Amino acid sequence: MLDKKIAKLINEQVNKELYSAYLYLDFANYYADEGLDGFAHWYEIQAQEERDHAMMMRRYLIDNGVRVTFEAIEKPDKTFSSAIEPLNAGLEHERYVTSLIDNIYALAFELKDFKTMQFLDWFVKEQGEEEKNADDQVKKFKMFGYDAKGLYSLNQELLSRVYAPSATGPAM
Ligand code: FEO
């Protein structure tokens, strides 16, 4: 049986992960509208990964006897005036998500809830990777994105991203 406080935080995180998916689809909408199909594609896949994260947490709660409840998903409300802005917003958002995962981990540690700590280990690692990816995106854009040929190459590179379900994560 999970501690009620832990269950509540993970349940809230399900909503945050679904919001992340919604946010990244919104980024994809912006890029699609700008004709940057590679950037749009990259964020469409990112949105699928975020949905996977939500599903993994939902499954963990269910497998531990918790009745999962859903709240409204916040509306993505960012407006962009240049192609680097969603990348910066993505990096900022991933840093925020890392802080949320860390908070849940800290509570699990305090409660000596080793099972949840082990469950969250996958997410701690994933956040490290996602922050690095987001940071790389920003850096690459700063180097190449302001030149037409560079932007074209970056767009082509991002178009090659392949969706890999997070099936190696816990409790699928
Ligand atoms: Fe599920 Fe990108 O955090």
Side-chain angles (χ1 to χ4, degrees):
M1 195 64 194
L2 283 186
D3 178 277
K4 280 195 164 49
K5 292 195 294 279
I6 278 281
K8 184 170 179 288
L9 279 186
I10 297 175
N11 198 146
E12 284 170 9
Q13 192 62 30
V14 171
N15 182 285
K16 306 273 189 195
E17 299 291 336
L18 290 172
Y19 170 75
S20 299
Y22 216 33
L23 180 72
Y24 291 149
L25 269 184
D26 191 51
F27 290 6
N29 293 340
Y30 166 79
Y31 285 124
D33 191 49
E34 292 291 307
L36 289 167
D37 55 348
F39 285 82
H41 170 77
W42 198 91
Y43 272 110
E44 282 161 11
I45 289 180
Q46 195 59 32
Q48 283 178 283
E49 287 200 356
E50 298 301 348
R51 182 183 173 279
D52 287 349
H53 300 166
M55 295 296 280
M56 287 157 68
M57 291 179 181
R58 173 182 171 271
R59 175 51 56 191
Y60 182 71
L61 293 174
I62 290 171
D63 288 349
N64 283 281
V66 177
R67 167 72 164 93
V68 178
T69 56
F70 286 158
E71 301 296 332
I73 299 168
E74 206 182 321
K75 179 181 175 177
D77 60 357
K78 294 194 186 314
T79 52
F80 304 116
S81 54
S82 85
I84 196 172
E85 288 179 15
L87 304 180
N88 283 325
L91 176 57
E92 188 187 336
H93 184 68
E94 286 305 327
R95 286 176 176 157
Y96 167 64
V97 173
T98 298
S99 75
L100 296 175
I101 298 289
D102 287 353
N103 281 345
I104 308 173
Y105 205 103
L107 180 62
F109 180 78
E110 189 188 316
L111 295 168
K112 295 191 166 58
D113 178 353
F114 303 116
K115 183 169 60 175
T116 297
M117 285 164 67
Q118 193 182 44
F119 170 71
L120 291 173
D121 279 340
W122 186 89
F123 288 91
V124 171
K125 185 163 177 280
E126 176 74 2
Q127 279 313 119
E129 287 170 12
E130 295 209 329
E131 278 193 46
K132 182 185 181 304
N133 289 341
D135 194 42
D136 285 351
Q137 298 254 35
V138 171
K139 282 183 182 144
K140 276 191 184 178
F141 196 99
K142 283 181 179 164
M143 278 191 287
F144 309 115
Y146 295 107
D147 160 80
K149 279 186 191 157
L151 184 60
Y152 179 81
S153 297
L154 267 185
N155 187 67
Q156 291 305 108
E157 184 186 316
L158 295 178
L159 202 50
S160 66
R161 182 177 185 186
V162 176
Y163 169 61
S166 306
T168 50
M172 283 298 287

